Amino acid sequence: LAKTTQPISMDSYEGQEVNITCSHNNIATNDYITWYQQFPSQGPRFIIQGYKTKVTNEVASLFIPADRKSSTLSLPRVSLSDTAVYYCLVGGFSGGYNKLIFGAGTRLAVHP
Amino acid sequence: NAGVTQTPKFRILKIGQSMTLQCTQDMNHNYMYWYRQDPGMGLKLIYYSVGAGITDKGEVPNGYNVSRSTTEDFPLRLELAAPSQTSVYFCASKLRDPNSPLHFGNGTRLTVT
């Protein structure tokens, strides 16, 4: 199972770009990288997913280098409503694919 | 679609009591998961299921039991509740495809006193 490591917390200000990096050194060939956002008292919700290179959607971008041992979630021009905990999750066809285990997550605080 | 529905939203149990946390999904997802989240902490996997009749242990299965008799339902049973089981419990489901994301319910907040 690919173990993930993220910074425990980050601070930013409204309007700035925020980059959160996740390390997953033992990622398997068929593993996907998925990021989730969690607000207090709510279940996590899907933000973005990728396998390699770069993926962009309406809320974020995901950068994955060629070796796939890390990934970076990029949130452009954050607002106060982006204050949340962000988790990266690695899983796929590799052994233990079904056993989706979360890391500790990154607590992002956006200040006015 | 209602998505993933968890009941109850809140519950207080006395030590030694038992209860069942209900989870149902209407998305025809094969895979279902139970996580617990202690205050200020991340999600810990309790049990998961890849289809009706098939369940397996996660990281922290002790003190819990599950069953999966239908595709839609994945109840979590607490026997002999202990204060250490005070937590928020989240149920999630997904399709079999490896690039299918998890869909979470809104959680059940359980207090054991």
Side-chain angles (χ1 to χ4, degrees), chain B residues 49-93:
Chain B
S49 168
V50 300
I54 306 170
T55 62
D56 207 347
K57 295 177 180 179
E59 302 171 273
V60 290
N62 291 345
Y64 306 94
N65 281 300
V66 293
S67 59
R68 185 93 181 272
S69 57
T70 67
T71 299
E72 294 79 20
D73 301 305
F74 190 39
L76 177 71
R77 177 82 177 164
L78 277 72
E79 305 282 1
L80 298 174
S84 61
Q85 294 178 304
T86 293
S87 192
V88 180
Y89 292 82
F90 289 103
C91 178
S93 70

Side-chain angles (χ1 to χ4, degrees), chain A residues 7-105:
Chain A
I8 293 174
S9 64
M10 295 181 70
D11 288 276
S12 184
Y13 292 91
E14 287 189 288
Q16 290 189 331
E17 178 184 74
V18 171
N19 295 310
I20 306 174
T21 296
C22 180
S23 172
H24 28 80
N25 290 322
N26 60 338
I27 188 170
T29 302
N30 292 324
D31 282 343
Y32 283 82
I33 301 157
T34 311
W35 284 80
Y36 294 85
Q37 176 190 55
Q38 186 181 27
F39 296 115
S41 302
Q42 295 185 24
R45 66 172 188 169
F46 170 82
I47 302 176
I48 196 167
Q49 182 186 71
Y51 181 79
K52 61 180 179 181
T53 64
K54 176 184 174 182
V55 178
T56 297
N57 62 21
E58 62 277 8
V59 298
S61 294
L62 179 59
F63 298 91
I64 305 170
D67 66 6
R68 303 198 334 119
K69 292 185 184 298
S70 66
S71 58
T72 299
L73 173 73
S74 180
L75 304 172
R77 298 178 298 283
V78 293
S79 65
L80 295 176
S81 62
D82 292 314
T83 294
V85 179
Y86 293 83
Y87 297 94
C88 81
L89 182 66
V90 174
F93 278 120
S94 60
Y97 152 61
N98 304 319
K99 201 170 185 174
L100 297 176
I101 292 176
F102 283 81

